[in-house]
Amino acid sequence: MAEVSEGRRLLARRMALFALLFSLIAPLLIFFAAVLTKMDVVGAEIGFHLLTVSIAPKLAILGLASAVLILLLTLFLCPTRAGWVAFGAAVLSGLTVGGFALYQSVLLASPPVYDVATRWTPALTFSRDSLAQRRRADVRPEDAPFVPKTAPLQWSGRSVADINTETCPGLLPVEGMKNHHKVAEVLKAEGWTVTGRSPWRVEGRTETFWFGLSSDVVIEMRDGQTNLRITSVEAVPDLGRNCRLALKLLSQIRPLR
């Protein structure tokens, strides 16, 4: 009986260790995908869309299912030690699955746009130098963008300008043509890299900590107003990030003299 009991303990420990290692696969995949994408080893299509959004959630669900099953088995075989390891694996997998569920809920609630602007008629345009920095697979800014009809019903086929008005209140032109030197200083202070400057236009780029996803801004001083446009570089939902960036910049630009 003693040998059988020891054998059960060993089996329980191995199963619990397997559950723990399996539960780490999805978080580690996300981490390495984010690092490789940020380092430009892989593009956003692979690092974000494929590895993070497509493969990692499936691994997390499998990890959660296996961790729960192994937890039940270890509670029967060896409830004192291996059970806690299996429980930790179940918690880790559960948090990972919960994180993906939260992302999906935010994604569904956010408009599927990559562009925000204080003026769409005529549309603000980026310089050739700014567009040249974009890769072939990146988003190309359009003069009058529309949401595809394949998008959720509340957004399907609508103009980005219309969606901006509805979902990003406060996105209004700044009265007066602000000094381009001061506007460039605002960009730098907010963590943007200034990529172009002229007396009537300032351009910049910022990127996220994770994945290094970029957004470009063009700020134009003309016809008695200062307008801006921010558009994502990669075709990744911004979850309202560009709207928040635009409102933050506008709040810093308006008081300039």
Side-chain angles (χ1 to χ4, degrees), residues 112-130:
V113 299
Y114 312 101
D115 241 333
V116 294
T118 57
R119 190 195 73 208
W120 284 103
T121 308
L124 300 174
T125 58
F126 291 87
S127 67
R128 291 182 181 179
D129 290 341
S130 178

Side-chain angles (χ1 to χ4, degrees), residues 6 18 33 62 76 80 87 102 114 165 176 184 207-208 214 231 233 235:
E6 184 60 29
F18 170 80
L62 286 175
F76 172 73
T80 54
F87 177 75
L102 178 61
Y114 312 101
T165 301
E207 63 178 43
T208 61
S214 305
T231 178
V233 174

